[in-house]
Amino acid sequence: MSGYSAFAYFYDKLTENISYKARAEYFDRLIKLHGGRKGILLDLACGTGSLSEEMARLGYDVIGTDASEEMLSCAMDKKFESGLPIQYLCQDMTKLDMFGTIDVTLCALDSLNHLGSLEDIRKTFERVSLFCEPGGLFIFDVNTPYKHRNILANNTFVYDLEDVYCVWQNSFAEDSPDCRVDISLDIFEKDEKGLFTRYTDELSEIAFPREIIEQALAESGMTIEGVYDFDSLEPPRQDSEKLVFAAKKPAMPAHNL
C-alpha cells in the first residue's frame, strides 16, 4: 500500500462524515447474521484505529494491523486516550502473520482497493484464510468499477475545513484492466498565524468486478455467505459504488471415532 504518510495525520479530519459507531454496529449485525463469534477480531488495514475502537466497545477482542506507521501512530494515540485493550501491529496485509487463529476479520473503507494488483488481493485473501478459525468470518468492503469510472473518474474534490484545505485530484486510467485511479493529494494546514504548510501524497486504487473478487475468495478456500450494497442488507445494484462481502472459512468436518 502506497501513500498515507502525510495524509495519515489529516485522515480523521477529512473523514469526519464517517460514523464509525454506525459502521461498527452494521458489521456487528453482519457478524451475527452469518453466525460469527464475538471473539478475536482482526481489523485489517485499521488505519487510525477508529473502527477498531468501536468494535472493542462492542465487546470484541481486537487486533489492528496496518502497513502505515503513521496511521498506527494515530491509532496508538487513541488507544492511550480510551484505554481500550487493542493490540496494534505494523504489517503489510499481503504478508499477514498472526500468533493464532482469528474469529472475524474486517477490512473496511476500501482498503483492499489500495493494493497494487489482483495478485496482491489474492495473497491477502490467502493469508486471511490461513489464519481464519474454521467457521470464522471475513467481511470486507470494496469500491466497484462503476465508482471508479463514474464517480472518482478524472474528477477533483475539494475539502475546505477550518484549519485544513485539501485538493483531491483523480486520474482514471481508461485502458487499465484494473480500473486504476491515481490520486494526488495536496493538503494545506493553517497555523496559529494564518500561514499554510503544504503536504502532498500520491495514492492509487484499483477495482474489479464482483465475479473476480468472488473467484479470488473461492481460490483462498473461503465460501461466500452474502454480497450486499454498501452498509445495507440489500443486494448489489448496477450502480452500486461499494459492495460488502461476507465470507466464511468452512468448518472442519467431524470425524467418527
Side-chain angles (χ1 to χ4, degrees):
M1 185 183 297
S2 61
Y4 286 118
S5 52
F7 188 39
Y9 298 109
F10 303 101
Y11 186 84
D12 287 336
K13 287 186 178 181
L14 295 172
T15 57
E16 287 179 339
N17 61 315
I18 299 173
S19 172
Y20 287 97
K21 183 176 186 295
R23 294 233 68 203
E25 291 171 350
Y26 169 70
F27 285 130
D28 184 52
R29 184 182 177 191
L30 278 183
I31 291 166
K32 292 174 181 175
L33 177 66
H34 294 292
R37 192 168 74 88
K38 189 167 284 189
I40 299 175
L41 182 143
L42 170 63
D43 186 4
L44 189 66
C46 63
T48 62
S50 296
L51 183 60
S52 297
E53 294 259 323
E54 295 298 339
M55 297 308 296
R57 289 188 177 97
L58 289 175
Y60 292 89
D61 185 3
V62 178
I63 301 170
T65 64
D66 202 281
S68 168
E69 293 181 0
E70 293 84 0
M71 286 283 191
L72 289 175
S73 176
C74 296
M76 289 298 294
D77 287 342
K78 291 177 185 175
K79 173 183 173 178
F80 290 140
E81 282 192 25
S82 68
L84 291 167
I86 303 169
Q87 181 180 6
Y88 288 112
L89 301 170
C90 189
Q91 290 189 3
D92 183 326
M93 70 174 88
T94 65
K95 300 174 182 177
L96 181 69
D97 189 13
M98 295 285 98
F99 303 114
T101 54
I102 305 297
D103 296 297
V104 178
T105 297
L106 295 182
C107 190
L109 298 171
D110 55 90
S111 296
L112 286 166
N113 294 99
H114 286 273
L115 290 171
S117 65
L118 179 59
E119 182 59 28
D120 282 345
I121 292 176
R122 290 194 179 106
K123 288 179 182 177
T124 299
F125 287 175
E126 289 169 1
R127 300 304 290 180
V128 170
S129 179
L130 176 64
F131 291 104
C132 186
E133 181 76 15
L137 295 175
F138 178 28
I139 298 174
F140 61 91
D141 63 42
V142 287
N143 285 342
T144 62
Y146 173 87
K147 180 177 182 179
H148 280 212
R149 291 193 185 99
N150 299 281
I151 307 299
L152 296 181
N154 291 302
N155 293 320
T156 297
F157 303 96
V158 174
Y159 300 84
D160 190 0
L161 307 178
E162 184 176 350
D163 55 354
V164 175
Y165 184 83
C166 175
V167 180
W168 178 306
Q169 299 181 78
N170 296 324
S171 177
F172 179 65
E174 296 286 349
D175 299 326
S176 172
D178 57 11
C179 285
R180 183 177 300 273
V181 175
D182 294 318
I183 302 166
S184 176
L185 297 171
D186 287 296
I187 303 168
F188 302 85
E189 182 183 30
K190 185 166 65 174
D191 63 19
E192 296 175 352
K193 298 180 180 179
L195 301 176
F196 285 88
T197 301
R198 179 181 178 181
Y199 304 88
T200 62
D201 249 336
E202 302 290 334
L203 314 170
S204 291
E205 290 199 25
I206 57 178
F208 294 95
R210 169 182 171 179
E211 56 269 21
I212 290 181
I213 299 295
E214 291 179 341
Q215 180 181 353
L217 276 172
E219 290 171 354
S220 74
M222 306 288 282
T223 60
I224 297 165
E225 295 284 299
V227 183
Y228 308 99
D229 189 36
F230 184 56
D231 276 0
S232 78
L233 297 179
E234 298 298 319
R237 308 184 314 270
Q238 285 189 340
D239 62 348
S240 290
E241 296 181 23
K242 194 185 289 275
L243 299 182
V244 178
F245 289 77
K248 179 177 285 189
K249 185 171 182 177
M252 299 293 288
H255 295 285
N256 294 326
L257 297 178

